[in-house]
Amino acid sequence: MRDTLGSKVVTYGLLAVFVIMVAVPLFWMVTTAIKTNKELYEDFSYFPQRPTLENFVRVIVREKLLTNIRNSFSVSMITTLITVIVSSLAAYSIVRYRYPGREWIGRIILFKYLLPSAMLFVPLYVIVTALGLGNTQQGLILTYLTFTIPFCTWMLMGYFRGMPVELEEQAMVDGCTKIGAMLRILLPLSAPGLVASAIFSFTLAWNEFLLALVITMDQSTMTVPIKLSMMVVGDQYIWGQLMAGAVLASIPVGILYFIGQRFVVQGLAAGAVKS
Amino acid sequence: MVHQPSGMTRRQFIATAALTSGAAAFGAFVAPALGQQPKLVYWAYQFLRSSDEARVNFAQEWAAKNKVEMQITLVPWKEFMTKITAAIQAQATPDIVESGGVELRALGQLLDVTDVYEKLEKEHGGWLGSSSLYMREPDGHVHHILYGLAGAVVIARKDLLAQAGFQKPPETWEEVLTQAKKAQQIPRVYGIGQPVSNQTDSNIWEIVMRGYGARLADEQGKKVVLGDYKREVWAFLDYFMEVWNAGVLPPGVTTWDNTMNNSTYQSGKAVFVWNAITISLWLQENNPDLLPKTAHYAFPAGPKGRVWDVGYASRSILKYTKYPDICKQFLLDSMDVKKMDQELSVSQWAPVLKSYLPFEVWNRTDYMKGLIELATKGNPEGYPDVFNDAWREQNTHTTISRLLQRLVVDKWDRDKAFAETLEVLNKIYGKYA
Amino acid sequence: MITKDHSIAVPRPLGTAVERKRAFWSRHRREVLGGIVLLSPALLILTGLVIYPFVYAIWLSFSDKMVGTVAHFVGLKNFRYVITWPQFTAALYNTGVFTVVAVMCKFVLGMAVALVLNQQIRGRNFFRAFLLLPWVMPAFVVYLVWRWMYDPLQGLLNYAMLDLGLIQQPIAFLSTKETAMPSVIIAHVWRSFPFYAISFLAGMQTIPLELYEAAQVDGSSRWQQFRYITLPSLYHIIGVVVLLTTIWTANAFEPIYLLTGGGPSDATTVYTMLVYVMGMVNLRLGEAAAVSVLFLPLLIGLVLVVTGLLQRRNDNA
């Protein structure tokens, strides 16, 4: 597709605007992380006068944030894995099979989100503890599935519906089972959708606050958001350490996004070959 | 010897923790042969690092000495009610907690500890100030044990005040305004760094109002009577509008949270703030130049007298515990004189027992002296109103601060705003009557 | 054979009447069984962990339950209390304004970003990851950073604007009645637009390039291409995203709680703030549940309206 000079200017111009828009608060976060505590309370400055890594050191050594990052990672990854699998099956079931009630299930699956966490977390916690999963990763994962599965199922339903059935039918005529058609034809084609759901699921799990607050009790299970909030001690924000912790917490997911981009492109290439 | 704010260095703390947990782990390993060790869950109050470390340290040592397995969780005060709510619903409660004593008592969740209270009273020569008023219920029972009194003092830049010609602390609220107006240097330094928002630091304004002679409810704390004090309330509102229009409050106070007055003073942008001495402790570690310029005064008085609300910190035992006697022993031992001497010197609490008065720490610094004043001159929260559920709910709702916001943010007239305030108070008090 | 609802029906060779009936039954039964088996993990999780809490919440709203106390049925008492609470109407209004404006802004911004990221630009992969960062960080941190940037005494925005000569006095963005809600919305849009962008982008990636090339040959402008190729292809995605985020935005708590605490006065108080204060601060679970239940019709209405609109467009397409 040939781009005119005008459209190129518009594109790059908008890109610059968006980059600046995203960068400014991030810049603020990073510069705060490398300022000394004293400097943060002195007169305002755009850049740190005496940059230091002491906040990072404190957060890793004193607060042991790496443990929490590992906890968050493990919980988020497992949640995502289970979510994508369960949601794909459910979405395929609703879209490609026929049985009574499937239309309704597809509709009401979203109603879950009508209730805020502030309301649901108490009974959820009751169930988790009753199952003996208090202060465990499994308990946390179980509760996270309740808000990742409905969304991912719904999203995959949309994607699967948009995929032409002819390909699966062709495969079945060639001797494939229905499930085989799903695994071999539909899922690879829906790669962008699957990756997108995985990314959403991971991010939702990574950033979740309320349920983690209630279920995790100590360093062995505590996830990053809770740990960061604990750095608000009493009526003082330990700004430097908080931002250092935030930077560290954002790196793993940032890397994941960066890699995830490649995946989407690959999925697209496969799709282009198909047509 | 120069005393450091934290009781021990971080490394020592980690080493001790490792040692005691190693000891506990060894004990746990051996325990099956000796018989099961009792297991206690202890939710410690997280508010100030040095103080938190001291209490956790003590708990670990105590656990090892008494052959008890203790799981210690530090809970920030903000998250405590959320966590305990869920725990109670799930029937997975801790044994000992250091927050929410009055709330949990009202919900009937606590173990009776009247015996602990009486023992302590006898052994330590009596309770200080209004401590006992927080603990003793009308029927003589006690369900939580105070270990510290806490509250706001007036924190002031005595250097700027001296520059403006003021050597003595302000005795009345009017004097505060006079001094603030003269000593401030807008736009770098504002006179009064005090929020008028929906966060609980804003409740200072309710204290001011009570200093002007108004009260919310009757002697029993059941019926709302604020409507009968319209004259006093109007006098208070006159004062507030004077403060507001004098421009001594920095921009943004209508959404300040509870950390903003701290950071405003700590960055040298306010002359007066009302806060616990957490500010002074912070200055000691992070900005020692500002500390000598900082004075700690008692609360000023309104036209009808001085009102100085003092809060509390307490330890209580959940009634579901399997080891009530062990827990009570922990409560008792936690008040030991030697232990508290060390702990109070790194915390921000005023003493609750007379036996703590001779501690050297009270004379060490200006702000520690201020704490003794707080313990002896302060009154229970809400005075002259009754400190009950209804009062606490309207307090968390920052009712009076919202009245003020209606005037300056929504520009309502006084009658309309006052009518809404009365309606809210009646609804709240009506629930608990 | 393609059925209207896109499910698959594979043609079978005809045999005797008995054979046909037998074959039909087992195929149908297999279909139902297969479908339900695939659905069961999701259904199990959702029934146990969503339906129960949901029913429990409804029960709570009719009770006087406080933390740790036994619940008693009190009929409509909580509802009466909550509806006459002074901030209730403000919460209704603010929730509506916040949701509608924020969703519109996020939609436009997300679509614009997706369009730009869909182009052949240098370093595309990097920009795709970079522009999605706001959504990656914990909300807690994002809103604290913004709060501090907005601060009139120590914040970046005021200092920059003062230095550039745009203003003479600092503006208390979050503390002035007129600017509080817009400021909260801006911070929230910054944090949340990547969700829209990545959804739309993924959708745009599946649109075949030939369509655009053909349109270009026909001489249509970029705008026309967007309107007649891009938008219709994104139809399902747009529907999903707008529906979900409308509900999510209406249920937003952290932006308001961390930025303004509902203030100044009740200028930014949304319904989740009420639920939080009544339930978690005052420990009166019955009242909190009543607020949630009262807002349910509003949210359900939103869902039905959006699904209805989507359904009609789908039929017409």
Side-chain angles (χ1 to χ4, degrees):
Chain A
M1 184 158 59
R2 224 174 22 89
D3 281 332
T4 66
L5 181 64
S7 72
K8 253 190 159 35
V9 163
V10 168
T11 302
Y12 278 100
L14 279 177
L15 182 66
V17 167
F18 295 145
V19 168
I20 293 177
M21 178 189 83
V22 167
V24 167
L26 293 180
F27 159 81
W28 190 243
M29 186 175 98
V30 172
T31 51
T32 303
I34 54 180
K35 282 185 185 169
T36 59
N37 220 15
K38 186 161 193 299
E39 199 188 329
L40 288 168
Y41 284 86
E42 288 169 354
D43 271 338
F44 178 88
S45 58
Y46 290 103
F47 297 96
Q49 312 287 5
R50 302 175 286 276
T52 169
L53 287 178
E54 70 181 18
N55 292 318
F56 286 92
V57 171
R58 278 214 198 104
V59 130
I60 293 179
V61 175
R62 271 172 97 165
E63 309 288 347
K64 304 202 178 39
L65 192 69
L66 293 179
T67 308
N68 306 97
I69 291 183
R70 194 199 60 207
N71 290 340
S72 278
F73 221 108
S74 132
V75 167
S76 304
M77 287 255 73
I78 299 177
T79 303
T80 301
L81 204 65
I82 301 179
T83 300
V84 171
I85 293 174
V86 172
S87 301
S88 313
L89 295 180
Y92 190 68
S93 160
I94 293 175
V95 169
R96 295 289 197 243
Y97 281 72
R98 281 179 301 175
Y99 49 87
R102 69 184 178 105
E103 292 274 344
W104 272 109
I105 294 174
R107 281 258 180 90
I108 67 174
I109 213 167
L110 274 189
F111 276 48
K112 186 271 162 208
Y113 295 115
L114 291 174
L115 295 166
S117 292
M119 209 54 253
L120 292 184
F121 83 96
V122 171
L124 267 179
Y125 180 65
V126 170
I127 297 175
V128 164
T129 341
L131 290 172
L133 295 175
N135 200 30
T136 60
Q137 286 195 0
Q138 301 90 299
L140 206 54
I141 292 170
L142 203 59
T143 57
Y144 283 3
L145 291 174
T146 63
F147 55 79
T148 54
I149 289 180
F151 162 69
C152 288
T153 306
W154 183 266
M155 165 139 272
L156 289 175
M157 276 167 61
Y159 269 100
F160 290 173
R161 274 211 198 96
M163 294 281 147
V165 289
E166 294 91 345
L167 297 159
E168 288 155 68
E169 291 184 336
Q170 189 58 47
M172 282 164 70
V173 164
D174 288 345
C176 215
T177 62
K178 205 152 172 173
I179 306 243
M182 171 183 91
L183 291 174
R184 257 168 256 178
I185 310 287
L186 184 63
L187 288 188
L189 279 183
S190 311
L194 291 175
V195 170
S197 330
I199 291 179
F200 296 147
S201 172
F202 188 91
T203 312
L204 288 177
W206 183 267
N207 288 334
E208 201 281 331
F209 187 82
L210 194 53
L211 290 165
L213 172 71
V214 160
I215 293 179
T216 65
M217 295 280 160
D218 54 40
Q219 189 67 350
S220 70
T221 52
M222 199 179 283
T223 55
V224 170
I226 311 302
K227 185 71 185 195
L228 289 180
S229 78
M230 299 251 172
M231 289 187 202
V232 181
V233 187
D235 54 0
Q236 306 273 13
Y237 283 115
I238 315 180
W239 281 107
Q241 285 184 50
L242 240 179
M243 292 299 128
V247 169
L248 286 176
S250 309
I251 291 177
V253 197
I255 294 178
L256 204 77
Y257 266 79
F258 191 73
I259 299 176
Q261 291 310 316
R262 306 268 172 90
F263 234 116
V264 174
V265 174
Q266 274 176 15
L268 171 66
V273 167
K274 142 242 156 185
S275 53
Chain B
M1 179 182 95
V2 175
H3 183 85
Q4 292 168 354
S6 45
M8 56 171 62
T9 66
R10 196 71 192 176
R11 198 169 295 149
Q12 285 176 315
F13 173 65
I14 294 174
T16 319
L19 215 64
T20 36
S21 19
F26 179 71
F29 176 76
V30 175
L34 303 174
Q36 274 293 59
Q37 268 194 337
K39 179 156 189 258
L40 292 185
V41 177
Y42 169 44
W43 284 9
Y45 183 61
Q46 183 192 51
F47 195 90
L48 185 66
R49 173 156 276 134
S50 50
S51 166
D52 305 336
E53 282 177 16
R55 273 172 289 117
V56 168
N57 214 36
F58 168 77
Q60 285 167 330
E61 284 174 4
W62 187 92
K65 201 162 67 170
N66 288 275
K67 306 215 193 327
V68 165
E69 199 191 312
M70 208 179 239
Q71 181 198 62
I72 306 170
T73 308
L74 278 173
V75 184
W77 67 281
K78 240 182 146 191
E79 327 287 4
F80 176 79
M81 285 319 303
T82 310
K83 271 179 96 80
I84 197 75
T85 305
I88 293 174
Q89 294 302 120
Q91 297 179 332
T93 49
D95 297 277
I96 302 167
V97 295
E98 283 183 349
S99 300
V102 172
E103 287 88 343
L104 292 174
R105 179 178 70 186
L107 292 171
Q109 302 296 307
L110 299 178
L111 189 71
D112 189 310
V113 290
T114 318
D115 47 354
V116 177
Y117 170 88
E118 283 167 354
K119 232 192 202 154
L120 289 169
E121 189 173 37
K122 234 173 55 183
E123 282 176 15
H124 293 262
W127 297 92
L128 264 185
S130 29
S131 306
S132 51
L133 290 169
Y134 280 103
M135 291 184 279
R136 270 273 196 223
E137 292 146 47
D139 59 4
H141 285 270
V142 173
H143 288 89
H144 66 145
I145 302 294
L146 258 61
Y147 59 89
L149 288 171
V153 297
V154 178
I155 296 183
R157 287 288 297 276
K158 59 182 178 198
D159 60 324
L160 294 177
L161 289 170
Q163 251 182 310
F166 301 109
Q167 306 293 346
K168 289 188 313 127
E171 300 280 312
T172 68
W173 291 104
E174 295 285 344
E175 270 181 50
V176 169
L177 179 58
T178 318
Q179 293 190 11
K181 270 200 288 201
K182 213 155 165 245
Q184 70 176 354
Q185 294 164 7
I186 299 197
R188 299 208 63 234
V189 188
Y190 284 82
I192 302 181
Q194 167 60 28
V196 188
S197 70
N198 301 334
Q199 302 291 316
T200 50
D201 271 3
S202 310
N203 285 317
I204 299 285
W205 296 109
E206 190 197 311
I207 296 178
V208 179
M209 188 184 80
R210 281 187 262 122
Y212 272 74
R215 65 181 294 154
L216 299 176
D218 59 8
E219 297 277 333
Q220 286 74 42
K222 298 256 186 240
K223 191 167 95 97
V224 175
V225 300
L226 186 64
D228 302 333
Y229 289 84
K230 192 162 160 183
R231 206 174 30 162
E232 287 82 354
V233 175
W234 255 237
F236 158 68
L237 291 178
D238 288 337
Y239 171 71
F240 172 74
M241 290 312 297
E242 235 193 290
V243 171
W244 184 265
N245 293 325
V248 294
L249 295 169
V253 290
T254 45
T255 50
W256 271 17
D257 68 1
N258 288 355
T259 69
M260 287 305 292
N261 60 345
N262 293 56
S263 59
T264 305
Y265 186 85
Q266 284 157 199
S267 50
K269 294 192 162 55
V271 176
F272 284 108
V273 292
W274 279 259
N275 206 72
I277 59 164
T278 42
I279 289 183
S280 326
L281 292 172
W282 187 96
L283 287 175
Q284 192 152 32
E285 212 182 298
N286 297 282
N287 195 354
D289 297 331
L290 199 48
L291 193 53
K293 302 183 191 160
T294 302
H296 305 79
Y297 299 143
F299 263 48
K304 297 289 167 61
R306 169 165 39 215
V307 175
W308 191 1
D309 281 15
V310 165
Y312 68 96
S314 73
R315 229 167 257 127
S316 47
I317 306 171
L318 274 288
K319 68 184 181 189
Y320 312 101
T321 181
K322 295 200 191 71
Y323 307 104
D325 294 316
I326 303 182
C327 292
K328 285 187 186 175
Q329 191 59 43
F330 181 77
L331 257 57
L332 271 171
D333 293 341
S334 300
M335 304 298 277
D336 170 71
V337 169
K338 249 181 79 190
K339 176 243 186 197
M340 286 305 273
D341 190 349
Q342 196 257 329
E343 190 177 300
L344 287 177
S345 65
V346 299
S347 308
Q348 83 283 23
W349 293 308
V352 291
L353 287 167
K354 295 217 171 103
S355 61
Y356 299 161
L357 278 176
F359 291 167
E360 175 238 334
V361 63
W362 310 124
N363 296 317
R364 206 176 287 155
T365 62
D366 195 46
Y367 52 83
M368 286 307 203
K369 282 198 204 104
L371 286 181
I372 299 290
E373 284 229 295
L374 189 148
T376 45
K377 290 194 188 151
N379 53 257
E381 277 179 283
Y383 180 83
D385 279 303
V386 177
F387 182 67
N388 58 10
D389 280 336
W391 185 87
R392 267 184 308 108
E393 192 178 313
Q394 72 79 29
N395 192 265
T396 11
H397 182 67
T398 59
T399 316
I400 300 305
S401 172
R402 283 179 191 265
L403 164 62
L404 301 177
Q405 286 177 69
R406 282 299 193 203
L407 297 179
V408 297
V409 173
D410 298 303
K411 312 276 198 285
W412 284 13
D413 66 63
R414 286 194 189 180
D415 288 299
K416 185 173 175 196
F418 192 54
E420 185 191 66
T421 305
L422 290 175
E423 190 195 330
V424 165
L425 287 171
N426 276 310
K427 280 179 76 94
I428 293 177
Y429 272 84
K431 282 192 293 192
Y432 298 96
Chain C
M1 182 173 68
I2 304 169
T3 56
K4 186 163 185 221
D5 53 9
H6 296 293
S7 57
I8 301 170
V10 180
R12 287 272 200 170
L14 296 173
T16 64
V18 174
E19 270 181 273
R20 246 183 285 149
K21 221 188 234 161
R22 209 180 295 139
F24 171 76
W25 266 118
S26 75
R27 173 164 48 107
H28 181 67
R29 209 185 297 131
R30 249 189 294 137
E31 174 120 352
V32 171
L33 194 68
I36 292 183
V37 162
L38 287 185
L39 189 63
S40 51
L43 217 54
L44 206 72
I45 293 176
L46 292 181
T47 315
L49 297 173
V50 176
I51 307 281
Y52 163 66
F54 176 56
V55 170
Y56 183 69
I58 304 253
W59 150 241
L60 272 183
S61 68
F62 289 100
S63 79
D64 64 355
K65 180 143 187 68
M66 291 175 53
V67 171
T69 63
V70 178
H72 306 105
F73 183 75
V74 291
L76 294 175
K77 185 161 136 190
N78 291 329
F79 293 98
R80 269 193 298 245
Y81 180 87
V82 155
I83 287 188
T84 53
W85 187 249
Q87 295 170 294
F88 187 78
T89 21
L92 260 178
Y93 176 74
N94 288 329
T95 308
V97 167
F98 178 75
T99 308
V100 170
V101 175
V103 168
M104 279 182 355
C105 293
K106 286 187 277 185
F107 181 90
V108 169
L109 185 58
M111 184 66 82
V113 170
L115 281 171
V116 167
L117 290 179
N118 199 32
Q119 307 300 318
Q120 303 282 26
I121 48 184
R122 295 257 191 93
R124 189 162 68 165
N125 277 329
F126 168 76
F127 288 118
R128 281 183 178 171
F130 182 77
L131 289 183
L132 302 181
L133 280 179
W135 206 55
V136 161
M137 306 192 301
F140 178 74
V141 167
V142 168
Y143 293 117
L144 278 190
V145 169
W146 272 92
R147 204 181 69 228
W148 208 17
M149 289 199 321
Y150 277 133
D151 191 84
L153 291 183
Q154 298 160 292
L156 173 67
L157 288 177
N158 272 299
Y159 261 91
M161 284 166 74
L162 280 167
D163 280 351
L164 290 172
L166 293 171
I167 53 176
Q168 307 301 334
Q169 297 277 19
I171 302 178
F173 291 102
L174 296 172
S175 321
T176 315
K177 191 170 178 184
E178 296 77 21
T179 56
M181 185 59 99
S183 305
V184 170
I185 291 178
I186 289 175
H188 175 71
V189 168
W190 185 90
R191 188 247 179 343
S192 316
F193 82 87
F195 181 82
Y196 286 73
I198 195 179
S199 304
F200 296 156
L201 183 63
M204 286 176 191
Q205 300 267 286
T206 57
I207 303 175
L209 289 176
E210 298 89 53
L211 290 175
Y212 291 109
E213 286 166 2
Q216 196 147 35
V217 164
D218 284 346
S220 47
S221 70
R222 293 292 283 262
W223 171 253
Q224 283 172 318
Q225 289 173 29
F226 175 69
R227 182 121 159 51
Y228 295 109
I229 302 176
T230 317
L231 267 189
S233 312
L234 291 180
Y235 192 69
H236 272 294
I237 305 301
I238 291 178
V240 170
V241 166
V242 169
L243 187 64
L244 265 181
T245 60
T246 301
I247 301 178
W248 280 347
T249 310
N251 278 331
F253 173 71
E254 274 154 322
I256 290 94
Y257 178 68
L258 292 169
L259 286 173
T260 59
S265 190
D266 55 14
T268 57
T269 302
V270 293
Y271 99 94
T272 45
M273 280 295 302
L274 286 184
V275 172
Y276 173 76
V277 171
M278 289 183 181
M280 285 303 108
V281 178
N282 297 340
L283 309 176
R284 304 186 69 93
L285 298 176
E287 285 166 27
V291 175
S292 296
V293 170
L294 280 172
F295 270 80
L296 265 181
L298 177 72
L299 298 177
I300 293 179
L302 275 169
V303 170
L304 290 177
V305 162
V306 177
T307 33
L309 283 172
L310 291 180
Q311 205 53 33
R312 251 188 297 127
R313 285 276 293 271
N314 199 22
D315 294 339
N316 291 339

